[in-house]
Amino acid sequence: MKKIIAVISAFMMSLCLCVPAFAVNPQSDYTLQFDENGKFKIMVIADPQDGHPTKVSMLNFISEALDAEQPDIVVFLGDNVCKDAENLESYDELLTPLVERGVPFTFVYGNHDDESAPNLSKEDILSIYQQYPGCLAYDADPDLHGCATHNLPILSSDGSKVAFNMWMFDSGDYVNDENGNHNVNGITYYDCVREDQIEWYKNVSAELESENGGLVPSLVFQHIITQEAMQNVFFDTPVKGNTNLTYNFSNGKYSSIFPNVANIDGIMMERPCPSFDNDGEWDALVERGDVMAVFTGHDHINNFTTTVDGIDAVAVSGATYNSYGKDYLRGVKIINIDENKPFEYEAHTLYVFDLALKDGSTIPGHDGMTKADYVFAKGMNRFLTALMKILNVVFIMGRLF
């Protein structure tokens, strides 16, 4: 297939690195809908974090994952193009597997997307994505913090109402301390979903409820994990200070380096990196009652679920071969929803080794990875999964006694 970049080069030259603050979604008439059996599938790709030339292993994995799962939509969870990010080929390489298969997609920004393209704004980058067939991302309100915070309704199988909703929040990049620094003592101050975005969510959520005769079950997708999720998987400490041993938050709580394994379902290989700030996103989600889970990336080697106040916080492991990662965790998240079970969802990870070890896979043999490496990765994953389950039970029993 001829490179899609040839189609959009003239457009980008005309941008002259400056576009209006608001760009209308060119795919706004595209309809997401449950199939005749009431099923809908979402594929979540976290932290591709690559660019031209994009690692062949990741592109082959995405292609084979799309063929194996045939999702109804793909959500890129931020830090999507973070190398050579002003080169249009970087976007072309990442998105061609989806365009070739006619799979629609949306995305949220991570902390590295526009950082990696100093001459492009988030609005510029959104315009690049919107030139690709199937891009459903748009900026719902250009006055909000960040860019491309939006929602995508999913119609019922008969098309009579909105049966489900997907929220995409730009969780920002960095915030500075009182001295203008966002990196202190080796700790980076990340951003979070802000108050105006939260108010937008509450208003749109209420509108959906009114128009559809009740709460519309929903999922949230954003890059940076929330404070509440972080605090739920680590024990508190009275020791104040942002260091490699402690982490403090704007609400006056301090987290230790000791994980609370009783609250972790899955594998956690690094301390999550939430924002120091908190504008009340989680409280708003709990108050509204329509969101079942919040899916986040950002922490490449975490792949777990923890539940806070009835809402799941799901950390999705990275898909990147370019940035840091672990062979035994690299994968994508598959979410299955059923309109006949409105406030339920099923999610599991499709790991790279799941496909790389199948006959005929094109994943091994690139980027220094052999089939033997994927065999080892699968074994390590199974060992760590079993170990975490054992520790989870031990910690829960310790609570009881």
Side-chain angles (χ1 to χ4, degrees):
M1 184 179 111
K2 192 173 181 179
K3 285 286 186 183
I4 300 168
I5 185 174
V7 179
I8 65 175
S9 294
F11 168 80
M12 283 307 300
M13 288 177 63
S14 68
L15 282 177
C16 296
L17 302 180
C18 180
V19 299
F22 177 66
V24 177
N25 174 21
Q27 302 293 329
S28 58
D29 59 346
Y30 194 101
T31 301
L32 298 177
Q33 188 169 353
F34 285 93
D35 67 17
E36 63 275 12
N37 298 313
K39 309 296 185 183
F40 193 91
K41 183 181 290 187
I42 304 165
M43 178 181 291
V44 183
I45 303 177
D47 298 273
Q49 206 155 326
D50 208 337
H52 180 70
T54 305
K55 293 292 189 293
V56 175
S57 296
M58 184 180 73
L59 296 178
N60 287 352
F61 170 53
I62 290 175
S63 296
E64 292 185 22
L66 291 171
D67 291 338
E69 294 291 340
Q70 299 187 21
D72 295 292
I73 189 171
V74 167
V75 178
F76 287 101
L77 215 49
D79 286 2
N80 305 316
V81 174
C82 302
K83 184 182 75 176
D84 204 13
E86 294 177 7
N87 185 337
L88 298 181
E89 289 186 80
S90 297
Y91 303 88
D92 195 61
E93 289 166 0
L94 177 65
L95 298 174
T96 291
L98 285 75
V99 173
E100 288 180 340
R101 292 163 175 79
V103 180
F105 69 92
T106 190
F107 74 94
V108 295
Y109 287 107
N111 54 294
H112 290 308
D113 288 284
D114 66 325
E115 176 188 51
S116 303
N119 295 309
L120 296 176
S121 68
K122 285 185 174 181
E123 289 77 14
D124 295 331
I125 296 170
L126 173 61
S127 293
I128 295 174
Y129 281 104
Q130 288 178 329
Q131 303 317 301
Y132 287 85
C135 177
L136 305 185
Y138 65 102
D139 197 7
D141 184 344
D143 291 330
L144 300 178
H145 272 81
C147 178
T149 288
H150 62 285
N151 72 297
L152 293 175
I154 303 172
L155 296 182
S156 58
S157 55
D158 64 5
S160 63
K161 66 176 183 177
V162 174
F164 205 88
N165 189 60
M166 300 167 58
W167 302 100
M168 268 60 64
F169 294 145
D170 181 359
S171 55
D173 39 44
Y174 309 99
V175 292
N176 294 329
D177 66 5
E178 61 274 12
N179 298 316
N181 301 312
H182 67 253
N183 191 298
V184 181
N185 297 326
I187 300 296
T188 301
Y189 293 104
Y190 292 104
D191 206 352
C192 62
V193 176
R194 290 301 179 178
E195 187 174 358
D196 57 352
Q197 297 168 280
I198 297 166
E199 285 302 309
W200 170 84
Y201 152 73
K202 290 164 67 175
N203 291 333
V204 177
S205 173
E207 290 173 8
L208 287 170
E209 180 181 12
S210 175
E211 293 169 357
N212 294 278
L215 287 174
V216 175
S218 306
L219 298 173
V220 168
F221 303 89
Q222 63 189 64
H223 184 68
I224 297 174
I225 194 170
T226 64
Q227 280 188 12
E228 288 81 359
M230 161 71 168
Q231 290 170 335
N232 203 49
V233 296
F234 281 85
F235 289 106
D236 291 339
T237 175
V239 180
K240 179 180 180 180
N242 278 344
T243 67
N244 290 325
L245 297 178
T246 61
Y247 195 98
N248 56 292
F249 301 97
S250 56
N251 63 3
K253 290 189 175 182
Y254 312 110
S255 172
S256 72
I257 61 170
F258 301 106
N260 186 351
V261 182
N263 291 340
I264 301 171
D265 180 12
I267 300 174
M268 185 173 70
M269 298 299 294
E270 65 175 318
R271 183 169 67 178
C273 297
S275 177
F276 171 77
D277 291 336
N278 190 338
D279 277 6
E281 175 191 1
W282 202 269
D283 290 342
L285 301 181
V286 173
E287 176 188 338
R288 283 296 304 146
D290 56 348
V291 170
M292 294 182 287
V294 178
F295 290 81
T296 59
H298 191 44
D299 307 305
H300 299 190
I301 52 177
N302 286 341
N303 188 31
F304 66 83
T305 299
T306 189
T307 304
V308 185
D309 296 329
I311 300 175
D312 292 339
V314 185
V316 182
S317 53
T320 181
Y321 277 77
N322 178 61
S323 185
Y324 78 95
K326 298 292 185 184
D327 300 332
Y328 51 81
L329 285 176
R330 190 176 292 118
V332 296
K333 189 72 72 175
I334 306 299
I335 306 170
N336 292 292
I337 52 178
D338 186 338
E339 70 173 324
N340 299 306
K341 301 175 182 178
F343 277 92
E344 297 180 21
Y345 76 96
E346 182 277 330
H348 66 274
T349 301
L350 176 66
Y351 292 103
V352 174
F353 57 73
D354 290 325
L355 297 176
L357 295 179
K358 290 186 175 182
D359 291 339
S361 174
T362 60
I363 300 171
H366 303 281
D367 306 308
M369 296 292 293
T370 68
K371 198 162 186 175
D373 293 320
Y374 290 111
V375 171
F376 178 81
K378 181 177 181 179
M380 180 63 71
N381 178 278
R382 299 299 185 260
F383 168 75
L384 288 173
T385 299
L387 178 62
M388 288 296 294
K389 286 181 177 179
I390 292 170
L391 291 174
N392 182 272
V393 171
V394 169
F395 271 66
I396 291 174
M397 294 298 291
R399 272 183 184 172
L400 296 176
F401 298 101

